[in-house]
Amino acid sequence: MSSTENSLIGSVFERKTSTAQSLPSPRFAKTPGSGFPAVQHRSKSAFARAKEEEKSSSNARHTTVPLVNPTSPAKQPRSRDLEVDSHTADDAMRQQISDENERRVANMTEEEREQERCEVLEQLGSGAADLLERVRAARSRNTTKAPARSEGILVPNEQAPEASREIPIVSSLPGFTTGRNLSRVKSLEDFGKRAPPILVKSSTRPSSPNKASRQLRFAALTPGDVYVYESAPVSPKRKAIALPPPPDVPDPSIVSLGTFKENGLPRKRPLSPASPKGDDRPAQKIADDRSEPEEGTPEYIRRRYFPNMPADNPSMSWMKPSSFISEPVLLRFDLTGAPIPAEISAALPSHLGLHHHADGDHAGYTLDDIFLLSRSTVPAQRTMMLNILVGIARRLGMQARDPNYADRISELQGKEEELRKRILAAGLSAMNEKGGVGVRAIEVVRECIVDWDAVFDAEHVELDLAPAIMSVLQVPDFLTQATEIFTQASLPPESLAQLLSIVFRLSQESNTIADSILKTPRLLPALIQTFLLTPIPPPSDTPLPNPVALQCLTVLASSSRTNAMALCEPADALLRFITMLPPTSPFPKSLAAHLLIETLRLYATLASYGLYSHIATSAASYFASLFTYIVSSKSKPLKVAWAGLVEAWIVCATDPHHTTPPHDILWSQVTSWGWGAEVLQLRQGITEEEGEVWAAIWSASSAWLEGTRVNGIRGGEGERVETLNTIQDGFSKGVEHNVVTASLEALRAELAQIHNTPLPERYQRLQRIGMHARVLSSVVRLWLACMPVANIDTNAASLLGAPPFNLPFTELSSFCASVVSHSLWSLVTGIERAACKHLATFLAYFHRLSRHIPGTSPDLWVAQGVAILERQLPGEEEHAFQILGAILGTLTPQFRGAMAHPSIWEKGGWSVIKPFLDYTIRPNREVYIAPSDVTPESIMRCTTLRLPSSSSLSSVPDEHRPTGLPLPHLWLTSPIDHLLRSGSSPVFKALPSSWDASEVDVVRASLLFIKATQEIVVRYSLNRFALKRSEMVFACMKVFMLEHGQQQEYPSPATGDEEEVFRDLIVSKLLSDLLAPFTLSAASASSPSSKLPDIDLEQASLPFLGSGTPFYQFYTDFLALYDAISFSHPTFASLLLPPLALTYPIDYRRILWADFAHVLRTVRTPVDQVIAGDLRDFLYPIEKGEMIGKYAGALLQGSVDGFLRLVAVHHVACNIWPDLRSEEVGAEQEDAAKMLLKMVVEKGDGRVVREVLRYRQVREETVVYPPACFETSGEWIADRAEFARQALGSELHARLEGVFYG
């Protein structure tokens, strides 16, 4: 092959160079003879003079392209694919190159062709064929056009300037013109590769192009080819435009620039178009190199400002975005605290302000970014991060308290409390800052403290919802910061109000924090001055008083008597809200009414301690005007607040000696003011729907009648008659009757739906239950207050001739029976108990009323008392003492008859155990929680008005618990518990000097009290309040643990004889009587006690032993004590058996059958006397393994009898005979069964062999007791005989024929 054929390029021809020598600059060509340059006039511009000189010069630039002709044109074959009509020099050259290329391609091998094809595709891309076709079509169109005009001279097409033969890539559309920065493609080589105009200056474009030649045609693009951002683009300098759609008629001259492959998501930067098929990575790389990059990108910056630097230069890496390989997807948030999905985070534009962090490729801020930037020294940045934390805390709080919250952040599920602490710490660190940082910091703290938990009306209960958060808060330091903020008042009023709500929420948390608020210097004066003592009249730029401050003072007063006394001094200034009634107040009417209501509630709270009641005398005229306004007002909260304040002041006046200071208000003053009649006037205009107002009126009237009974003439008989004359008709057929009936029906409906109520809504339902229960308790209290003095003794057996007024007694009785057994009491804890407190009060009042209802027998009244006593809540200790006294007073020797031994009453009867029962109700005498209804006793003794939290009741020892209510289920056995711990019992340290009883006396009275109450509650089907089998067993076990001679700090001189307590005949008889209803014989007789639901002994012992001492350890000591001192006591021995049930771990059976096997012969409890509900508990599932050897050894030694023998025979026989087994066994187990049979036959006596061979039980049928289980017959005998023959051989089998068939 020649060299010409090997080259793809034809001959190269050089132009003829000019022989003329270069002349000097024409500027001095016409130099005058003087030798000086010619004068140049400034009338012509430099540009015009240069043009003239250029024209006069011989070096003028040619305006036409010279023709280049080959010296020896070669004869080339005519092209087969392209027919050319003109035979110009250019056409000849192209024809020559085409022929040369065809000849070279024809001489190539397939491998060479494929290689060249790949090189072309690598350079031009996969669309090279289409591109060449368009180029050919453009050339053919140019050859048919008219001669081009260049500078006014007609020239042929082949001689036209290069600018007139540009390759058109788009066709022109009317109405669109090109901009000055658009350039047209000059050649195929320049297609897709143009440098920025700042770097390269075009040498082919004319200086003043013709406007007609500057036309722009648009490619055929679909709407999906272009994405227009709705928001601003990445660079604000580049304006996004929407291209018009392509014409309906296809135009082959339109060249597509590609198709935009979108993924359905908005992106921060457009994606590069993907090739439809094939591997276009090399071509794509070339296209990327030649295309102009987007403005603002790292490549754009490199080309514009560093054109000589290669793209992969390490010094240019600072411009490139950071990339992480296998970077985990982190949760990110926008500026409002809303989470950004991971697929959106990488696509959002940067102008949204979500990329100002380390990882600029992802929009949004991670939690680490937020917490880091929340410590920023730039105030604006720190403010923004705190604002994000506000949104995050709000969402986390919603999902923490609402399981059905729609916008849950699943990635943070279960981490709410941990993040709450971190967010709170971030807010606390910025609280002292000024400006927006401090404002947002307070908002963060408010979200974490106030808005996080559900909203509770918890004025009379410690919330104790966030003890861990309180430790993070560092309450004393926070309160000091809050004081400074209140004092400086540099923040907006809204922020100060938010800070006030935080302090209010802290006051609700616990009494300890409330004490800290009062002890913080200058905090209380700052609160009062900032939010209450505002100028009057209020200036336009001054905030109005805030009722939340009054609510905070009320909560602080209710927390403790000490705090209430501290608030008495500033309470004088609050009288301004009472003297200025809402119609004449300078504040808005609604705000004035709210301030008035909160002030009355604060005064009522102080009066509940017997404090600040002198204000009723000091401001009597103002309160008289207030009552006139209240009567005419339609505000329900205002009437309730006024009635509550009057009730508290009436109670203070009932016994003036109990107020602080004494005689702060007198009964004579109350009588002169006519409050009793005024309260009844509030009934006017009240409808049936205003049950809360009726309850307040009835409670105030009850307090008035109770006070007249103490201070009135003839026990207040005249006042009672006057009151009854006013209300009797209403309770017969009026509004009062309808109110009581409606509350009863509402309570039934609410209690029926309490189980189906979601947790977030349950507290609201409980509040409605408490409101309706308040109506019933107040009306029953009023009924009791209207009783004659002769019938006030609740223990009296005399009945009323006629009730004071009519009540639905039957409906009330049935409702109480359903309430005491309702599962509501096991649901409510802590905060919810405050809502149910009125329900417990209603039960206590009804117990007093029930004694006067015809048909209530003494034992029924005792049963009601036992049930209602367990339902009393903290604060109702006085009611509990009254109910307990009624129960003990009813269980007299005459009532019990021959059940009680006379010696019990001779030793003092119930007085022996009364101190222990009283301690169970109120273990801490220093704490007195106010009841629901204020009493003369409570105003003198109460230390707090708030119920303790659940944690405070369970996390402290018994002697430090603020209350013993609600009573534990085993409260009846509390005297025995104190005997077991007499060395540390606080009861023995505080017994009166007149108390003189022995252990035997205490145990006798305790067991008798348990027996009496147990029989009564079971008789009336109040099984929920009876001791279960395991509880009774454990109670009796504790009696046996009271062995004689144990170390006691307070020995009694009347210990009795030298024997142990359980050997006392009366004690032994009472123990047998208590356990008898739970034996197998009682179960077969369908005893009511045997049908009670049961728990295991490990649960029953937990209240006494605690979590630190397992019941197994107690049982081990109990078994060792039996071995030491029992002497085969039958009741003692029977208490060893319940833990042997197969529902308990094997350790209990192992310790008796192995470690204490020597005591087995002393345990001879009959089967029917076993304390159990079903004998199957000891028989199934069948024992295997080591215990079979223990059972067999005890049988062969003859050391078991009665129940234990039955258990041993059962498990040994079931491991031998196939008909007793419920499952198939393998060959190994079969061999073990044969060996066990052989051992029993060879070593056992006749009784053992007969019982093992003839024992028969069917698991699916009723258990057969001995001896019937050894005397049955059937086909199974023959099967066993055959099995024995295979196991023992013919000789031994023959000896057993008489046993099988005898």
Side-chain angles (χ1 to χ4, degrees):
M1 183 178 297
S2 63
S3 61
T4 305
E5 295 176 348
N6 291 335
S7 176
L8 292 176
I9 304 176
S11 301
V12 178
F13 302 95
E14 297 182 358
R15 297 182 180 182
K16 294 180 179 181
T17 59
S18 175
T19 58
Q21 297 179 358
S22 60
L23 298 177
S25 174
R27 177 174 300 181
F28 303 101
K30 296 181 180 182
T31 306
S34 62
F36 291 94
V39 177
Q40 297 182 2
H41 298 280
R42 294 187 178 183
S43 59
K44 294 183 180 182
S45 64
F47 180 76
R49 289 195 301 270
K51 279 291 186 180
E52 291 180 357
E53 292 175 358
E54 184 179 355
K55 290 180 180 180
S56 63
S57 175
S58 59
N59 290 340
R61 181 179 179 181
H62 296 285
T63 58
T64 60
V65 180
L67 297 177
V68 181
N69 297 321
T71 55
S72 57
K75 296 181 181 181
Q76 300 293 343
R78 189 175 182 83
S79 174
R80 297 171 296 178
D81 301 328
L82 182 62
E83 296 293 336
V84 182
D85 297 335
S86 61
H87 299 283
T88 61
D90 291 341
D91 294 338
M93 182 180 64
R94 283 194 293 269
Q95 184 64 34
Q96 179 183 359
I97 294 174
S98 177
D99 293 343
E100 187 71 23
N101 290 339
E102 289 180 359
R103 183 169 60 255
R104 182 180 178 187
V105 171
N107 295 331
M108 286 183 179
T109 62
E110 287 297 330
E111 291 77 3
E112 293 174 342
R113 293 175 185 172
E114 184 65 26
Q115 182 179 359
E116 293 293 339
R117 186 180 296 107
C118 292
E119 293 178 359
V120 173
L121 292 177
E122 182 178 359
Q123 295 177 1
L124 301 181
S126 59
D130 297 336
L131 180 62
L132 294 176
E133 287 295 333
R134 291 194 295 272
V135 171
R136 291 194 186 100
R139 286 176 181 170
S140 63
R141 287 196 298 271
N142 289 340
T143 56
T144 60
K145 288 183 179 180
R149 181 179 297 272
S150 177
E151 296 185 6
I153 303 176
L154 290 174
V155 294
N157 290 331
E158 62 273 10
Q159 296 180 359
E162 190 68 22
S164 66
R165 292 189 284 114
E166 297 173 353
I167 301 175
I169 63 173
V170 292
S171 59
S172 61
L173 290 176
F176 288 85
T177 59
T178 61
R180 292 186 179 274
N181 61 339
L182 297 177
S183 59
R184 306 180 68 183
V185 180
K186 297 298 183 285
S187 64
L188 180 63
E189 182 180 1
D190 291 336
F191 180 75
K193 179 182 180 182
R194 291 195 53 80
I198 195 172
L199 301 178
V200 180
K201 183 177 180 180
S202 176
S203 60
T204 60
R205 185 172 181 173
S207 60
S208 299
N210 190 0
K211 291 183 179 182
S213 64
R214 292 186 295 167
Q215 296 179 353
L216 179 64
R217 301 181 67 199
F218 293 90
L221 300 178
T222 62
D225 295 338
V226 179
Y227 184 89
V228 181
Y229 288 105
E230 295 182 2
S231 58
V234 176
S235 176
K237 297 180 180 180
R238 299 172 78 75
K239 302 298 182 181
I241 61 174
L243 299 179
D248 298 332
V249 181
D251 187 357
S253 64
I254 299 177
V255 180
S256 175
L257 297 180
T259 303
F260 178 68
K261 301 295 185 180
E262 65 178 6
N263 59 358
L265 296 173
R267 298 189 63 83
K268 186 173 69 172
R269 300 180 178 90
L271 296 173
S272 301
S275 302
K277 58 182 178 179
D279 188 5
D280 298 339
R281 284 175 295 178
Q284 185 68 30
K285 182 177 183 302
I286 295 176
D288 293 341
D289 293 340
R290 294 178 178 177
S291 62
E292 182 178 348
E294 182 182 357
E295 182 178 354
T297 60
E299 181 61 18
Y300 174 85
I301 298 174
R302 186 190 68 81
R303 292 190 185 186
R304 184 174 179 86
Y305 299 104
F306 309 96
N308 297 327
M309 301 290 289
D312 56 352
N313 193 318
S315 61
M316 297 288 102
S317 60
W318 60 271
M319 298 185 301
K320 298 180 181 180
S322 58
S323 59
F324 301 93
I325 301 176
S326 301
E327 180 185 5
V329 179
L330 300 176
L331 179 64
R332 297 181 179 273
F333 299 89
D334 63 11
L335 298 181
T336 65
I340 303 177
E343 61 271 14
I344 302 296
S345 176
L348 291 177
S350 60
H351 77 279
L352 299 177
L354 301 175
H355 294 77
H356 301 291
H357 49 81
D359 186 8
D361 287 346
H362 294 84
Y365 300 85
T366 64
L367 288 173
D368 292 337
D369 294 337
I370 297 170
F371 286 119
L372 177 64
L373 296 177
S374 66
R375 301 298 204 275
S376 174
T377 57
V378 180
Q381 191 175 48
R382 193 175 188 182
T383 302
M384 187 60 66
M385 293 302 106
L386 292 174
N387 185 67
I388 297 176
L389 290 178
V390 170
I392 296 175
R394 183 177 296 115
R395 287 173 171 82
L396 292 178
M398 288 290 293
Q399 79 177 36
R401 63 178 177 266
D402 186 4
N404 301 321
Y405 180 55
D407 299 331
R408 303 181 68 83
I409 306 177
S410 57
E411 294 87 348
L412 302 181
Q413 185 73 27
K415 303 178 182 179
E416 292 86 357
E417 287 300 323
E418 176 185 356
L419 289 174
R420 182 185 183 185
K421 296 178 182 179
R422 296 184 63 187
I423 294 173
L424 177 60
L428 292 174
S429 64
M431 269 190 55
N432 287 334
E433 301 294 334
K434 297 181 179 180
V437 177
V439 170
R440 287 291 178 264
I442 292 177
E443 192 171 353
V444 169
V445 177
R446 184 181 185 276
E447 286 293 336
C448 294
I449 300 296
V450 180
D451 296 338
W452 187 282
D453 299 307
V455 179
F456 294 102
D457 183 15
E459 178 181 333
H460 297 297
V461 64
E462 296 181 80
L463 294 183
D464 197 21
L465 295 177
I469 296 301
M470 295 301 112
S471 63
V472 176
L473 186 63
Q474 296 293 324
V475 175
D477 297 337
F478 172 80
L479 294 177
T480 303
Q481 295 181 20
T483 303
E484 295 299 327
I485 295 174
F486 287 138
T487 304
Q488 297 173 3
S490 59
L491 294 179
E494 295 78 6
S495 299
L496 294 178
Q498 290 179 349
L499 188 58
L500 171 64
S501 65
I502 297 173
V503 176
F504 176 47
R505 171 62 181 81
L506 293 179
S507 67
Q508 294 177 311
E509 182 69 11
S510 67
N511 293 342
T512 304
I513 296 179
D515 295 341
S516 300
I517 294 175
L518 264 297
K519 293 178 182 178
T520 302
R522 299 182 294 117
L523 177 56
L524 183 61
L527 285 176
I528 297 176
Q529 186 66 37
T530 304
F531 298 103
L532 296 178
L533 302 184
T534 57
I536 297 177
S540 59
D541 58 344
T542 303
L544 298 175
N546 196 332
V548 177
L550 285 171
Q551 295 177 4
C552 182
L553 296 182
T554 303
V555 172
L556 292 175
S558 65
S559 62
S560 69
R561 177 180 290 269
T562 304
N563 294 341
M565 295 177 67
L567 291 172
C568 289
E569 181 178 353
D572 289 334
L574 304 179
L575 195 62
R576 55 163 48 186
F577 302 125
I578 294 178
T579 57
M580 297 182 298
L581 298 178
T584 60
S585 175
F587 308 120
K589 188 174 182 179
S590 59
L591 176 60
H594 198 179
L595 293 170
L596 174 59
I597 293 171
E598 295 301 331
T599 303
L600 295 177
R601 295 175 68 244
L602 175 60
Y603 287 172
T605 302
L606 296 177
S608 298
Y609 296 100
L611 301 173
Y612 202 69
S613 56
H614 69 273
I615 194 63
T617 304
S618 304
S621 58
Y622 295 109
F623 286 109
S625 302
L626 175 60
F627 173 74
T628 304
Y629 170 74
I630 291 175
V631 172
S632 61
S633 174
K634 296 183 179 180
S635 174
K636 180 170 64 175
L638 181 57
K639 293 181 179 181
V640 172
W642 167 250
L645 177 59
V646 170
E647 177 189 358
W649 279 343
I650 290 176
V651 173
C652 290
T654 300
D655 191 347
H657 301 282
H658 289 176
T659 60
T660 304
H663 301 89
D664 212 17
I665 186 173
L666 303 178
W667 185 258
S668 58
Q669 295 173 328
V670 172
T671 305
S672 63
W673 292 328
W675 282 350
E678 287 182 354
V679 169
L680 294 178
Q681 290 182 25
L682 293 177
R683 299 167 57 251
Q684 300 174 4
I686 303 178
T687 62
E688 300 175 5
E689 289 76 17
E690 299 177 278
E692 191 173 0
V693 181
W694 284 108
I697 295 174
W698 292 337
S699 295
S701 298
S702 301
W704 163 254
L705 294 177
E706 291 166 358
T708 58
R709 182 171 293 170
V710 176
N711 300 285
I713 301 174
R714 300 181 61 182
E717 183 177 350
E719 289 84 351
R720 283 195 299 274
V721 172
E722 182 180 352
T723 302
L724 288 175
N725 292 335
T726 305
I727 65 176
Q728 270 184 338
D729 293 339
F731 281 105
S732 298
K733 52 184 177 180
V735 179
E736 287 89 339
H737 175 268
N738 297 335
V739 170
V740 175
T741 304
S743 294
L744 264 175
E745 296 300 325
L747 276 174
R748 293 183 187 274
E750 296 288 353
L751 290 174
Q753 300 176 10
I754 189 66
H755 292 287
N756 301 326
T757 305
L759 189 61
E761 303 174 7
R762 192 170 73 181
Y763 184 75
Q764 285 73 20
R765 186 176 295 278
L766 288 173
Q767 281 187 315
R768 294 193 294 270
I769 291 175
M771 189 273 291
H772 294 298
R774 172 71 168 168
V775 173
L776 297 183
S777 66
S778 60
V779 73
V780 175
R781 179 188 178 191
L782 179 61
W783 191 93
L784 294 171
C786 292
M787 289 174 54
V789 178
N791 298 96
I792 61 175
D793 185 7
T794 57
N795 297 332
S798 61
L799 300 178
L800 288 174
F805 52 84
N806 291 330
L807 284 178
F809 298 106
T810 304
E811 289 78 2
L812 288 174
S813 180
S814 61
F815 174 72
C816 288
S818 62
V819 167
V820 293
S821 300
H822 200 278
S823 58
L824 166 74
W825 305 99
S826 60
L827 295 177
V828 296
T829 56
I831 302 171
E832 297 174 338
R833 284 179 178 168
C836 297
K837 190 175 180 180
H838 289 298
L839 196 60
T841 305
F842 161 66
L843 293 176
Y845 282 135
F846 177 80
H847 184 255
R848 294 170 56 186
L849 180 146
S850 175
R851 188 70 181 92
H852 306 285
I853 298 177
T856 303
S857 60
D859 54 349
L860 174 59
W861 198 51
V862 170
Q864 292 176 348
V866 173
I868 293 175
L869 185 57
E870 289 193 24
R871 297 312 185 198
Q872 295 305 296
L873 296 177
E876 306 303 322
E877 287 82 5
E878 292 302 324
H879 288 303
F881 287 135
Q882 191 174 30
I883 295 172
L884 178 62
I887 294 173
L888 297 179
T890 305
L891 297 177
T892 60
Q894 296 77 17
F895 174 78
R896 299 311 308 159
M899 172 183 287
H901 196 275
S903 60
I904 297 178
W905 308 110
E906 293 173 359
K907 292 292 185 178
W910 305 132
S911 61
V912 173
I913 61 174
K914 185 68 163 52
F916 303 98
L917 299 178
D918 289 345
Y919 178 85
T920 304
I921 296 175
R922 176 171 285 160
N924 193 342
R925 294 289 177 177
E926 297 180 359
V927 178
Y928 191 107
I929 303 173
S932 300
D933 298 320
V934 184
T935 64
E937 184 73 14
S938 69
I939 65 173
M940 180 183 66
R941 298 184 56 190
C942 72
T943 57
T944 179
L945 304 184
R946 301 208 291 185
L947 298 184
S949 61
S950 299
S951 60
S952 63
L953 293 177
S954 59
S955 59
V956 295
D958 290 344
E959 60 271 16
H960 297 297
R961 293 181 64 192
T963 179
L965 300 181
L967 289 176
H969 189 58
L970 297 175
W971 67 274
L972 294 171
T973 65
S974 59
I976 301 176
D977 297 343
H978 286 280
L979 284 180
L980 282 171
R981 296 170 176 171
S982 58
S984 60
S985 173
V987 180
F988 281 97
K989 299 177 183 180
L991 286 173
S993 58
S994 59
W995 189 89
D996 184 18
S998 65
E999 284 187 344
V1000 175
D1001 296 333
V1002 175
V1003 172
R1004 286 176 178 178
S1006 299
L1007 296 180
L1008 178 61
F1009 186 55
I1010 295 173
K1011 179 182 178 182
T1013 55
Q1014 183 86 359
E1015 291 179 353
I1016 291 175
V1017 296
V1018 171
R1019 185 186 311 162
Y1020 288 97
S1021 301
L1022 296 173
N1023 299 333
R1024 186 184 297 270
F1025 305 96
L1027 296 182
K1028 301 178 178 61
R1029 176 183 298 106
S1030 57
E1031 294 171 341
M1032 187 65 75
V1033 168
F1034 186 70
C1036 294
M1037 282 183 170
K1038 289 187 289 186
V1039 174
F1040 284 93
M1041 295 295 285
L1042 292 169
E1043 75 276 9
H1044 176 73
Q1046 65 177 357
Q1047 188 68 28
Q1048 297 187 45
E1049 184 176 352
Y1050 298 95
S1052 172
T1055 306
D1057 52 18
E1058 296 294 332
E1059 296 181 350
E1060 292 80 5
V1061 175
F1062 66 87
R1063 298 192 187 279
D1064 179 77
L1065 296 180
I1066 299 176
V1067 171
S1068 181
K1069 178 65 168 58
L1070 290 172
L1071 288 172
S1072 301
D1073 293 343
L1074 290 174
L1075 294 174
F1078 300 102
T1079 59
L1080 290 176
S1081 60
S1084 60
S1086 300
S1087 171
S1089 297
S1090 64
K1091 298 179 180 180
L1092 297 177
D1094 194 20
I1095 56 177
D1096 59 43
L1097 282 165
E1098 294 179 343
Q1099 292 177 319
S1101 62
L1102 192 60
F1104 177 76
L1105 298 178
S1107 58
T1109 304
F1111 174 72
Y1112 179 76
Q1113 179 178 342
F1114 178 87
Y1115 181 75
T1116 303
D1117 298 338
F1118 185 77
L1119 187 55
L1121 187 62
Y1122 173 83
D1123 183 22
I1125 67 172
S1126 68
F1127 297 102
S1128 302
H1129 192 280
T1131 306
F1132 204 158
S1134 65
L1135 294 175
L1136 299 175
L1137 304 180
L1140 302 182
L1142 296 175
T1143 55
Y1144 289 86
I1146 194 176
D1147 299 334
Y1148 292 96
R1149 300 185 291 280
R1150 184 188 294 119
I1151 191 175
L1152 177 61
W1153 289 88
D1155 298 345
F1156 285 88
H1158 56 279
V1159 305
L1160 292 175
R1161 63 180 68 254
T1162 65
V1163 181
R1164 300 183 176 275
T1165 305
V1167 176
D1168 59 344
Q1169 296 301 315
V1170 174
I1171 306 170
D1174 191 352
L1175 188 57
R1176 295 175 180 275
D1177 296 338
F1178 302 89
L1179 304 182
Y1180 300 101
I1182 300 172
E1183 286 269 29
K1184 297 179 181 179
E1186 61 173 313
M1187 290 306 302
I1188 300 302
K1190 309 300 180 184
Y1191 294 146
L1195 286 174
L1196 297 178
Q1197 294 175 6
S1199 58
V1200 289
D1201 202 357
F1203 167 75
L1204 293 180
R1205 186 177 187 87
L1206 173 65
V1207 171
V1209 169
H1210 170 82
H1211 290 290
V1212 170
C1214 288
N1215 277 269
I1216 295 176
W1217 306 119
D1219 61 283
L1220 296 180
R1221 296 194 293 262
S1222 59
E1223 57 184 11
E1224 297 294 333
V1225 297
E1228 183 177 354
Q1229 289 79 8
E1230 193 75 16
D1231 294 340
K1234 294 178 180 179
M1235 293 178 60
L1236 181 60
L1237 174 61
K1238 186 175 181 180
M1239 181 182 65
V1240 171
V1241 172
E1242 291 179 349
K1243 298 183 179 180
D1245 56 17
R1247 181 186 175 189
V1248 172
V1249 173
R1250 181 181 181 278
E1251 290 177 350
V1252 172
L1253 267 60
R1254 294 298 303 269
Y1255 179 77
R1256 176 67 176 174
Q1257 291 285 357
V1258 180
R1259 186 169 188 172
E1260 294 76 13
E1261 299 178 1
T1262 304
V1263 178
V1264 181
Y1265 289 8
C1269 59
F1270 305 119
E1271 298 174 355
T1272 59
S1273 60
E1275 298 179 356
W1276 54 271
I1277 295 180
D1279 297 335
R1280 291 190 183 183
E1282 177 60 24
F1283 182 84
R1285 186 188 64 78
Q1286 297 175 5
L1288 305 176
S1290 302
E1291 182 178 355
L1292 286 177
H1293 175 263
R1295 294 168 52 186
L1296 299 177
E1297 287 290 338
V1299 178
F1300 282 118
Y1301 301 103

